[in-house]
Amino acid sequence: MKSIYSFLSILMPIFMGILPARGNTYYFSAMNGDDSRSPAQAEQAVTPWRSLKKLNEIFGQLKPGDSVLLKRGDVFYGSIVASESGAAGNPIYIGAYGQGNDPVVSGFHRLDGWKNIGQNIWQAACPECGLRVNMVIINNKVQPMGRYPATGYLTIQSHTDNTSITGDQLSTDWTGGDVIIRKNRFVIDHATIVSQQGNTITYKGASYYQPTDKY
């Protein structure tokens, strides 16, 4: 027996040296999480973080062997930006915990704080959405894209090169929306509104044709 114990005492340090290091585990729950919690709290399943935004903020601080677990049955809005990597044989692991269906990572963003800005037009800030919104869903139903005016066109009062137009009916801030510009009888352009100052909108992405004043 003495020789067996001696043999094991020699092997154990060798095995310990090749095992991957066990890192920290961070928990996320879209339903019960709170992004204001500390990293130490987020290492407990009962006090998880909440959002993918928080995950992206701390991803660069993760180490090889760390784990990120999303709660089963929850829907997480946004995307995961993997700004750090693990090591060979010792990855950064993203998985799930809890009971139920696998967690869902949705490319949609949940919007809160809707405001009626007049004429039954509702607005909510979405800094994560970028310049173009491709789809809006309310109560799991896809909504048609809005149009203003409901029919016809507004009149172009003046323009600057092929970057902006001014119209006396452009009082609402349409930044982030799309503009359809009928530049002449034969050209209709589709562009993205990048900013608005008063009655002047600045756009990009249209063809090289310039707008026509009073059209």
Side-chain angles (χ1 to χ4, degrees):
M1 294 295 293
K2 182 176 180 181
S3 61
I4 295 176
Y5 290 140
S6 298
F7 179 67
L8 289 175
S9 67
I10 294 172
L11 287 181
M12 286 183 65
I14 297 175
F15 290 148
M16 292 293 289
I18 63 174
L19 287 174
R22 183 177 179 84
N24 299 324
T25 298
Y26 300 101
Y27 295 87
F28 285 78
S29 171
M31 295 295 294
N32 303 315
D34 186 341
D35 287 344
S36 66
R37 289 170 176 154
S38 68
Q41 289 176 306
E43 290 185 56
Q44 306 296 322
V46 294
T47 52
W49 279 323
R50 179 182 180 87
S51 68
L52 296 185
K53 180 180 179 181
K54 181 65 176 183
L55 171 56
N56 292 334
E57 289 176 358
I58 62 99
F59 210 108
Q61 304 168 26
L62 298 179
K63 306 297 182 185
D66 284 352
S67 296
V68 172
L69 301 182
L70 308 181
K71 189 174 182 180
R72 287 188 172 89
D74 284 7
V75 178
F76 296 84
Y77 293 96
S79 58
I80 299 175
V81 180
S83 56
E84 190 58 60
S85 64
N90 199 24
I92 294 174
Y93 174 78
I94 299 178
Y97 74 101
Q99 304 295 321
N101 297 326
D102 288 338
V104 173
V105 176
S106 170
F108 286 97
H109 296 276
R110 179 183 290 277
L111 301 185
D112 298 310
W114 288 92
K115 296 180 179 179
N116 188 340
I117 60 175
Q119 301 181 33
N120 201 30
I121 298 173
W122 292 79
Q123 188 178 72
C126 184
E128 301 90 355
C129 291
L131 290 177
R132 184 182 295 274
V133 176
N134 296 317
M135 185 180 297
V136 175
I137 291 180
I138 300 177
N139 295 328
N140 295 321
K141 293 184 178 180
V142 178
Q143 303 300 305
M145 299 298 287
R147 187 189 195 283
Y148 182 80
T151 60
Y153 289 85
L154 306 178
T155 300
I156 300 171
Q157 302 300 324
S158 61
H159 73 280
T160 300
D161 299 325
N162 190 25
T163 59
S164 71
I165 56 175
T166 298
D168 56 10
Q169 296 170 288
L170 294 174
S171 57
T172 300
D173 187 353
W174 300 106
T175 300
D178 294 344
V179 58
I180 309 299
I181 309 174
R182 188 173 185 182
K183 295 183 172 180
N184 54 51
R185 291 184 60 187
F186 308 103
V187 177
I188 298 178
D189 265 359
H190 185 169
T192 299
I193 302 172
V194 295
S195 65
Q196 179 169 341
Q197 295 292 328
N199 293 339
T200 299
I201 61 173
T202 300
Y203 59 89
K204 71 173 184 178
S207 68
Y208 64 87
Y209 295 99
Q210 292 198 20
T212 301
D213 292 349
K214 311 303 178 182
Y215 202 73

